Amino acid sequence: MANILEQLDNEVAKLFASWNLYTTLIALVLVAFVAYPIIFWEEPDTHPLLLARQAQPSPVRQPKESATYRSLEVPHGYPLKTGLNVKDAGAPRWAGGKDGDIRDVWREVMKGGGSGENAPPAGLIITVMGSDAAYEHDLKDISKEINIIGKHLQQIGAKKVAIYLANSIEYLSTIFACSFYGASPILLPYNLPPNVAFDLLKETEADTLIATAGSLPLSDLSNATGLRQVTWVVEKTSRHMDWSGNDDANGRIIVSVWHELVDDQKANASVDLPSNDQSPQPGSITTVWQEKHGGKSQIVEFTQRNLVSAIGALSSALPLRQRLNSADLVLPADSFSHTYVLCHTLAALFSHASLAINSVAGPGVDLSLAQRSVSPTVIIASAETLAALHQKEMGGISNSLQKFAHVNQSQAMSAGRMPTDNLLFKLLAPRQNAAGATPGKLRLIFTSERLGTDAPALSNTMLSDLRIFTRSRICYALTVPKVAGAVAQSNMFDYRMTNGDTKYSHFGVPLSSVEIKLVDKEDARVDGNTPEGEIVVRGPAVAGGEVKLGVQGKFKQDCTLAYA
Amino acid sequence: MDQATTEQPPPPAEVATIATPINFVLLALFLILAYYRLKPKAAATLPSPPPPTVFKTFTPPTLRPYNGENNMPVYLAVRGRVFDVTPGRNFYGPGGPYANFAGRDASRGLACGSFDEDMLTKDLEGPLDKLDDLGDEEMEALRGWEERFSEKYLVVGKLVPVGSEEAKEA
């Protein structure tokens, strides 16, 4: 026994006898390699187990239907989120709020910057024009405009007001004016071929049109549609022309001009907006869902209840400390005619965030173009825009240093952290300019899959790459024609790359304004913890209360929704 | 002794070689650590929850076996709704004070506040108890029970009389 020990001792002694300079070096590297992650420990952005089960399936299911899945915010047995939780002035803190409607969004904006002790900070509304001009609007002026346009609509007896505008403050003002003065806005996609626009105007039975001056030929408007009123919105640079002439329309359509209406009555207009008792019940909001731009259309009418529940759900879908607040500048880089964009925009206004409006916004707009002269912290972008950005940036990764940095950052992401802006990453990172002048400031991008349209698929890998390129977190949502806002939206901290890569990434969990179940003829498919079947959505954000999407979906083990 | 060492020629400057056993050992250790560091880690997973219970349509005879005996769950029906009261097995299961209700329509018993055998519908094949003869006070008590059940227990099915349309469908 002792012999063996002695021999062993000798061997070890021999081993260490050959210690030399190289050994010291290797030992040092080894110690550093072990100690580095201990000293520079970085926590994941959220607890990994919070991502392991993100929604709540109901414990009981109907035959041939899967369990009903809900957001963790709204446990089973409690009502889904129905609105904005608006509280009357002076109501006690613990009192429950009302659902409210779109009028309450603007009232909340006007509360900003008030004199009271608890007054929230005022958000800015900025219009970005051209390459380097940004114009900040006075909120009181916008209130006046809402009053002027609303009264004008009321006087002419407008019931259904079609909006054919690029993203602009007039777009939002019209929606608010309609809500305060009892008209129903119709949100048309912009830049349509004239005959498609005419068909939509006829189909939606619009009686009034608010459109960019010269975007549609007036003479054809009177023949092809049932319009009685047109209000042109004229850009500053074209105001010297006479837009009020209605010779072409044969007198059948009364033409007015936005800025003339506003200028005439600005002096007398009140900043105070009508209260709920003074103004009629706000009308519905009609949207148009197109399979491709200018293609086959589906017209969907949303009630105000649908929209406010979507706004409420979208704003509470983010983790508590990451929600939109007055420090954010939100840039919608997609058209307001998509309810996901509109609801996020209204949610931003409701939470006193600042808003940058750019008229180039639309599906597929270049991100760097959309955010010229502003540095937004939150961007709402179309899938087209992000797919194009991904292609451009992946093409830009050529040398091995960049590839190494890319792999390195992907690894940090799969460990659950956003790669930080440290020196190493700055040296090695791919080109940064794609996401604006100050990439460090952008924190969040909302993007959406539009069901059954030509919107490109964003896969898990693409989203992960895009997070690295833009240095921001990305929420990917599933949007469908008949659900205001979105059906489901992914968790902003979910960067996991496991479970293989499918064409479409998963869409996260249901928003708190809807619940989702899957139905199938075969009971076995919808049983268990990973059911598959046709997606059925129900809840206050759904037009008509419940809708079958006609597409196969599945819930994964982590309770996220994906296409099957 | 000192002299001896000074007189000896200095040992030839040995070229330190990297290929020593200890270097190999350390390098191997390094490679193993690097492998474990770089190996993609499986995402955290939670154990699978039990699969959801299927909502069933019961008739009084098919509800009867759900009385907690032979390892069956404990169900009871209140005005057509079947509650899974297995978590309250001590009360509703075999030997509990409310054991009579297990696997039965408990509406009348709960309404009248009586746990006796004669509160139960005798004829399992017959129509369900309509509770038409009960007074306001008793119906109020029943509603209270129903509310408590809905808060505490899951509704796992509905109770229909034997021979009804729904029973044939199920």
PDB file of all heavy atoms in Angstrom, chain A residues 21-44:
ATOM      1  N   LEU A  21       8.048  27.791 -18.041  1.00  0.00           N
ATOM      2  CA  LEU A  21       7.411  29.063 -18.366  1.00  0.00           C
ATOM      3  C   LEU A  21       6.065  28.845 -19.058  1.00  0.00           C
ATOM      4  O   LEU A  21       5.054  29.475 -18.732  1.00  0.00           O
ATOM      5  CB  LEU A  21       8.347  29.871 -19.271  1.00  0.00           C
ATOM      6  CG  LEU A  21       7.878  31.288 -19.567  1.00  0.00           C
ATOM      7  CD1 LEU A  21       7.835  32.117 -18.298  1.00  0.00           C
ATOM      8  CD2 LEU A  21       8.770  31.941 -20.606  1.00  0.00           C
ATOM      9  N   TYR A  22       6.045  27.932 -20.001  1.00  0.00           N
ATOM     10  CA  TYR A  22       4.790  27.665 -20.737  1.00  0.00           C
ATOM     11  C   TYR A  22       3.694  27.200 -19.782  1.00  0.00           C
ATOM     12  O   TYR A  22       2.537  27.606 -19.901  1.00  0.00           O
ATOM     13  CB  TYR A  22       5.024  26.594 -21.811  1.00  0.00           C
ATOM     14  CG  TYR A  22       5.851  27.095 -22.969  1.00  0.00           C
ATOM     15  CD1 TYR A  22       7.119  26.609 -23.221  1.00  0.00           C
ATOM     16  CD2 TYR A  22       5.333  28.080 -23.814  1.00  0.00           C
ATOM     17  CE1 TYR A  22       7.867  27.065 -24.263  1.00  0.00           C
ATOM     18  CE2 TYR A  22       6.084  28.554 -24.872  1.00  0.00           C
ATOM     19  CZ  TYR A  22       7.354  28.047 -25.106  1.00  0.00           C
ATOM     20  OH  TYR A  22       8.088  28.503 -26.137  1.00  0.00           O
ATOM     21  N   THR A  23       4.121  26.334 -18.844  1.00  0.00           N
ATOM     22  CA  THR A  23       3.141  25.821 -17.895  1.00  0.00           C
ATOM     23  C   THR A  23       2.514  26.972 -17.126  1.00  0.00           C
ATOM     24  O   THR A  23       1.304  27.029 -16.926  1.00  0.00           O
ATOM     25  CB  THR A  23       3.820  24.855 -16.922  1.00  0.00           C
ATOM     26  OG1 THR A  23       4.766  24.089 -17.644  1.00  0.00           O
ATOM     27  CG2 THR A  23       2.812  23.954 -16.259  1.00  0.00           C
ATOM     28  N   THR A  24       3.359  27.915 -16.693  1.00  0.00           N
ATOM     29  CA  THR A  24       2.849  29.069 -15.960  1.00  0.00           C
ATOM     30  C   THR A  24       1.831  29.822 -16.809  1.00  0.00           C
ATOM     31  O   THR A  24       0.756  30.207 -16.337  1.00  0.00           O
ATOM     32  CB  THR A  24       4.012  30.009 -15.592  1.00  0.00           C
ATOM     33  OG1 THR A  24       5.070  29.209 -15.082  1.00  0.00           O
ATOM     34  CG2 THR A  24       3.579  31.030 -14.589  1.00  0.00           C
ATOM     35  N   LEU A  25       2.192  30.031 -18.076  1.00  0.00           N
ATOM     36  CA  LEU A  25       1.282  30.765 -18.967  1.00  0.00           C
ATOM     37  C   LEU A  25      -0.053  30.046 -19.095  1.00  0.00           C
ATOM     38  O   LEU A  25      -1.121  30.642 -18.946  1.00  0.00           O
ATOM     39  CB  LEU A  25       1.921  30.911 -20.348  1.00  0.00           C
ATOM     40  CG  LEU A  25       2.966  32.024 -20.461  1.00  0.00           C
ATOM     41  CD1 LEU A  25       3.559  32.038 -21.868  1.00  0.00           C
ATOM     42  CD2 LEU A  25       2.336  33.366 -20.120  1.00  0.00           C
ATOM     43  N   ILE A  26       0.044  28.744 -19.359  1.00  0.00           N
ATOM     44  CA  ILE A  26      -1.204  27.986 -19.546  1.00  0.00           C
ATOM     45  C   ILE A  26      -2.041  28.022 -18.279  1.00  0.00           C
ATOM     46  O   ILE A  26      -3.265  28.217 -18.321  1.00  0.00           O
ATOM     47  CB  ILE A  26      -0.885  26.528 -19.951  1.00  0.00           C
ATOM     48  CG1 ILE A  26      -0.201  26.499 -21.304  1.00  0.00           C
ATOM     49  CG2 ILE A  26      -2.159  25.700 -19.995  1.00  0.00           C
ATOM     50  CD1 ILE A  26       0.321  25.139 -21.694  1.00  0.00           C
ATOM     51  N   ALA A  27      -1.362  27.892 -17.145  1.00  0.00           N
ATOM     52  CA  ALA A  27      -2.087  27.899 -15.877  1.00  0.00           C
ATOM     53  C   ALA A  27      -2.789  29.234 -15.676  1.00  0.00           C
ATOM     54  O   ALA A  27      -3.944  29.295 -15.230  1.00  0.00           O
ATOM     55  CB  ALA A  27      -1.134  27.614 -14.729  1.00  0.00           C
ATOM     56  N   LEU A  28      -2.107  30.320 -16.018  1.00  0.00           N
ATOM     57  CA  LEU A  28      -2.703  31.651 -15.866  1.00  0.00           C
ATOM     58  C   LEU A  28      -3.953  31.791 -16.730  1.00  0.00           C
ATOM     59  O   LEU A  28      -4.992  32.267 -16.290  1.00  0.00           O
ATOM     60  CB  LEU A  28      -1.684  32.738 -16.224  1.00  0.00           C
ATOM     61  CG  LEU A  28      -0.679  33.073 -15.130  1.00  0.00           C
ATOM     62  CD1 LEU A  28       0.305  34.121 -15.626  1.00  0.00           C
ATOM     63  CD2 LEU A  28      -1.403  33.582 -13.884  1.00  0.00           C
ATOM     64  N   VAL A  29      -3.828  31.347 -17.997  1.00  0.00           N
ATOM     65  CA  VAL A  29      -4.982  31.436 -18.902  1.00  0.00           C
ATOM     66  C   VAL A  29      -6.144  30.630 -18.344  1.00  0.00           C
ATOM     67  O   VAL A  29      -7.295  31.071 -18.355  1.00  0.00           O
ATOM     68  CB  VAL A  29      -4.589  30.936 -20.308  1.00  0.00           C
ATOM     69  CG1 VAL A  29      -5.813  30.802 -21.198  1.00  0.00           C
ATOM     70  CG2 VAL A  29      -3.579  31.876 -20.927  1.00  0.00           C
ATOM     71  N   LEU A  30      -5.806  29.448 -17.827  1.00  0.00           N
ATOM     72  CA  LEU A  30      -6.839  28.560 -17.288  1.00  0.00           C
ATOM     73  C   LEU A  30      -7.567  29.229 -16.125  1.00  0.00           C
ATOM     74  O   LEU A  30      -8.801  29.228 -16.045  1.00  0.00           O
ATOM     75  CB  LEU A  30      -6.174  27.258 -16.830  1.00  0.00           C
ATOM     76  CG  LEU A  30      -7.089  26.078 -16.606  1.00  0.00           C
ATOM     77  CD1 LEU A  30      -7.752  25.693 -17.905  1.00  0.00           C
ATOM     78  CD2 LEU A  30      -6.288  24.902 -16.062  1.00  0.00           C
ATOM     79  N   VAL A  31      -6.780  29.838 -15.234  1.00  0.00           N
ATOM     80  CA  VAL A  31      -7.388  30.511 -14.078  1.00  0.00           C
ATOM     81  C   VAL A  31      -8.270  31.659 -14.552  1.00  0.00           C
ATOM     82  O   VAL A  31      -9.407  31.845 -14.093  1.00  0.00           O
ATOM     83  CB  VAL A  31      -6.298  31.011 -13.117  1.00  0.00           C
ATOM     84  CG1 VAL A  31      -6.883  31.943 -12.080  1.00  0.00           C
ATOM     85  CG2 VAL A  31      -5.612  29.833 -12.457  1.00  0.00           C
ATOM     86  N   ALA A  32      -7.756  32.427 -15.531  1.00  0.00           N
ATOM     87  CA  ALA A  32      -8.545  33.545 -16.044  1.00  0.00           C
ATOM     88  C   ALA A  32      -9.840  33.047 -16.662  1.00  0.00           C
ATOM     89  O   ALA A  32     -10.906  33.626 -16.471  1.00  0.00           O
ATOM     90  CB  ALA A  32      -7.724  34.313 -17.074  1.00  0.00           C
ATOM     91  N   PHE A  33      -9.727  31.937 -17.382  1.00  0.00           N
ATOM     92  CA  PHE A  33     -10.901  31.387 -18.075  1.00  0.00           C
ATOM     93  C   PHE A  33     -11.966  30.968 -17.079  1.00  0.00           C
ATOM     94  O   PHE A  33     -13.163  31.143 -17.313  1.00  0.00           O
ATOM     95  CB  PHE A  33     -10.430  30.183 -18.910  1.00  0.00           C
ATOM     96  CG  PHE A  33     -11.478  29.662 -19.847  1.00  0.00           C
ATOM     97  CD1 PHE A  33     -11.830  30.392 -20.975  1.00  0.00           C
ATOM     98  CD2 PHE A  33     -12.092  28.451 -19.616  1.00  0.00           C
ATOM     99  CE1 PHE A  33     -12.788  29.919 -21.840  1.00  0.00           C
ATOM    100  CE2 PHE A  33     -13.061  27.970 -20.478  1.00  0.00           C
ATOM    101  CZ  PHE A  33     -13.395  28.704 -21.599  1.00  0.00           C
ATOM    102  N   VAL A  34     -11.514  30.421 -15.951  1.00  0.00           N
ATOM    103  CA  VAL A  34     -12.473  29.987 -14.938  1.00  0.00           C
ATOM    104  C   VAL A  34     -13.024  31.197 -14.179  1.00  0.00           C
ATOM    105  O   VAL A  34     -14.218  31.289 -13.882  1.00  0.00           O
ATOM    106  CB  VAL A  34     -11.815  28.984 -13.967  1.00  0.00           C
ATOM    107  CG1 VAL A  34     -12.739  28.678 -12.798  1.00  0.00           C
ATOM    108  CG2 VAL A  34     -11.446  27.712 -14.705  1.00  0.00           C
ATOM    109  N   ALA A  35     -12.126  32.168 -13.902  1.00  0.00           N
ATOM    110  CA  ALA A  35     -12.522  33.270 -13.017  1.00  0.00           C
ATOM    111  C   ALA A  35     -13.357  34.314 -13.735  1.00  0.00           C
ATOM    112  O   ALA A  35     -14.221  34.940 -13.124  1.00  0.00           O
ATOM    113  CB  ALA A  35     -11.269  33.918 -12.426  1.00  0.00           C
ATOM    114  N   TYR A  36     -13.162  34.477 -15.069  1.00  0.00           N
ATOM    115  CA  TYR A  36     -13.825  35.576 -15.778  1.00  0.00           C
ATOM    116  C   TYR A  36     -15.333  35.580 -15.595  1.00  0.00           C
ATOM    117  O   TYR A  36     -15.909  36.578 -15.143  1.00  0.00           O
ATOM    118  CB  TYR A  36     -13.442  35.537 -17.264  1.00  0.00           C
ATOM    119  CG  TYR A  36     -14.048  36.659 -18.053  1.00  0.00           C
ATOM    120  CD1 TYR A  36     -13.451  37.921 -18.068  1.00  0.00           C
ATOM    121  CD2 TYR A  36     -15.243  36.486 -18.763  1.00  0.00           C
ATOM    122  CE1 TYR A  36     -14.017  38.959 -18.767  1.00  0.00           C
ATOM    123  CE2 TYR A  36     -15.818  37.521 -19.453  1.00  0.00           C
ATOM    124  CZ  TYR A  36     -15.204  38.760 -19.460  1.00  0.00           C
ATOM    125  OH  TYR A  36     -15.764  39.789 -20.140  1.00  0.00           O
ATOM    126  N   PRO A  37     -15.995  34.459 -15.891  1.00  0.00           N
ATOM    127  CA  PRO A  37     -17.457  34.506 -15.740  1.00  0.00           C
ATOM    128  C   PRO A  37     -17.906  34.644 -14.294  1.00  0.00           C
ATOM    129  O   PRO A  37     -19.027  35.065 -14.042  1.00  0.00           O
ATOM    130  CB  PRO A  37     -17.936  33.179 -16.350  1.00  0.00           C
ATOM    131  CG  PRO A  37     -16.753  32.323 -16.438  1.00  0.00           C
ATOM    132  CD  PRO A  37     -15.546  33.175 -16.449  1.00  0.00           C
ATOM    133  N   ILE A  38     -17.017  34.299 -13.366  1.00  0.00           N
ATOM    134  CA  ILE A  38     -17.410  34.446 -11.961  1.00  0.00           C
ATOM    135  C   ILE A  38     -17.335  35.918 -11.568  1.00  0.00           C
ATOM    136  O   ILE A  38     -18.214  36.456 -10.900  1.00  0.00           O
ATOM    137  CB  ILE A  38     -16.522  33.579 -11.057  1.00  0.00           C
ATOM    138  CG1 ILE A  38     -16.698  32.105 -11.440  1.00  0.00           C
ATOM    139  CG2 ILE A  38     -16.860  33.795  -9.586  1.00  0.00           C
ATOM    140  CD1 ILE A  38     -15.733  31.171 -10.770  1.00  0.00           C
ATOM    141  N   ILE A  39     -16.249  36.578 -12.020  1.00  0.00           N
ATOM    142  CA  ILE A  39     -16.084  37.993 -11.656  1.00  0.00           C
ATOM    143  C   ILE A  39     -17.046  38.864 -12.446  1.00  0.00           C
ATOM    144  O   ILE A  39     -17.731  39.723 -11.913  1.00  0.00           O
ATOM    145  CB  ILE A  39     -14.623  38.428 -11.913  1.00  0.00           C
ATOM    146  CG1 ILE A  39     -13.681  37.592 -11.045  1.00  0.00           C
ATOM    147  CG2 ILE A  39     -14.447  39.912 -11.601  1.00  0.00           C
ATOM    148  CD1 ILE A  39     -12.240  37.738 -11.427  1.00  0.00           C
ATOM    149  N   PHE A  40     -17.086  38.639 -13.767  1.00  0.00           N
ATOM    150  CA  PHE A  40     -17.933  39.483 -14.613  1.00  0.00           C
ATOM    151  C   PHE A  40     -19.247  38.768 -14.887  1.00  0.00           C
ATOM    152  O   PHE A  40     -19.636  38.579 -16.017  1.00  0.00           O
ATOM    153  CB  PHE A  40     -17.219  39.812 -15.924  1.00  0.00           C
ATOM    154  CG  PHE A  40     -15.960  40.576 -15.713  1.00  0.00           C
ATOM    155  CD1 PHE A  40     -14.735  39.932 -15.689  1.00  0.00           C
ATOM    156  CD2 PHE A  40     -16.006  41.937 -15.508  1.00  0.00           C
ATOM    157  CE1 PHE A  40     -13.573  40.636 -15.481  1.00  0.00           C
ATOM    158  CE2 PHE A  40     -14.836  42.652 -15.292  1.00  0.00           C
ATOM    159  CZ  PHE A  40     -13.620  41.994 -15.275  1.00  0.00           C
ATOM    160  N   TRP A  41     -19.898  38.329 -13.860  1.00  0.00           N
ATOM    161  CA  TRP A  41     -21.160  37.609 -14.000  1.00  0.00           C
ATOM    162  C   TRP A  41     -22.241  38.575 -14.490  1.00  0.00           C
ATOM    163  O   TRP A  41     -22.439  39.635 -13.937  1.00  0.00           O
ATOM    164  CB  TRP A  41     -21.546  37.005 -12.660  1.00  0.00           C
ATOM    165  CG  TRP A  41     -22.951  36.506 -12.629  1.00  0.00           C
ATOM    166  CD1 TRP A  41     -23.982  37.041 -11.931  1.00  0.00           C
ATOM    167  CD2 TRP A  41     -23.470  35.381 -13.326  1.00  0.00           C
ATOM    168  NE1 TRP A  41     -25.108  36.328 -12.148  1.00  0.00           N
ATOM    169  CE2 TRP A  41     -24.836  35.297 -13.010  1.00  0.00           C
ATOM    170  CE3 TRP A  41     -22.922  34.446 -14.201  1.00  0.00           C
ATOM    171  CZ2 TRP A  41     -25.662  34.320 -13.530  1.00  0.00           C
ATOM    172  CZ3 TRP A  41     -23.742  33.463 -14.722  1.00  0.00           C
ATOM    173  CH2 TRP A  41     -25.093  33.410 -14.380  1.00  0.00           C
ATOM    174  N   GLU A  42     -22.923  38.176 -15.561  1.00  0.00           N
ATOM    175  CA  GLU A  42     -24.029  38.996 -16.039  1.00  0.00           C
ATOM    176  C   GLU A  42     -25.306  38.194 -15.938  1.00  0.00           C
ATOM    177  O   GLU A  42     -25.386  37.073 -16.434  1.00  0.00           O
ATOM    178  CB  GLU A  42     -23.787  39.404 -17.488  1.00  0.00           C
ATOM    179  CG  GLU A  42     -22.863  40.584 -17.590  1.00  0.00           C
ATOM    180  CD  GLU A  42     -22.547  40.881 -19.040  1.00  0.00           C
ATOM    181  OE1 GLU A  42     -21.790  40.102 -19.634  1.00  0.00           O
ATOM    182  OE2 GLU A  42     -23.070  41.863 -19.567  1.00  0.00           O
ATOM    183  N   GLU A  43     -26.275  38.781 -15.313  1.00  0.00           N
ATOM    184  CA  GLU A  43     -27.534  38.076 -15.143  1.00  0.00           C
ATOM    185  C   GLU A  43     -28.332  38.105 -16.431  1.00  0.00           C
ATOM    186  O   GLU A  43     -28.273  39.074 -17.168  1.00  0.00           O
ATOM    187  CB  GLU A  43     -28.351  38.752 -14.040  1.00  0.00           C
ATOM    188  CG  GLU A  43     -27.927  38.327 -12.687  1.00  0.00           C
ATOM    189  CD  GLU A  43     -29.028  38.523 -11.677  1.00  0.00           C
ATOM    190  OE1 GLU A  43     -30.160  38.806 -12.082  1.00  0.00           O
ATOM    191  OE2 GLU A  43     -28.731  38.399 -10.494  1.00  0.00           O
ATOM    192  N   PRO A  44     -29.102  37.063 -16.697  1.00  0.00           N
ATOM    193  CA  PRO A  44     -30.024  37.161 -17.830  1.00  0.00           C
ATOM    194  C   PRO A  44     -31.068  38.237 -17.555  1.00  0.00           C
ATOM    195  O   PRO A  44     -31.316  38.599 -16.405  1.00  0.00           O
ATOM    196  CB  PRO A  44     -30.643  35.773 -17.919  1.00  0.00           C
ATOM    197  CG  PRO A  44     -30.349  35.106 -16.635  1.00  0.00           C
ATOM    198  CD  PRO A  44     -29.150  35.772 -16.054  1.00  0.00           C
TER     199      PRO A  44
END
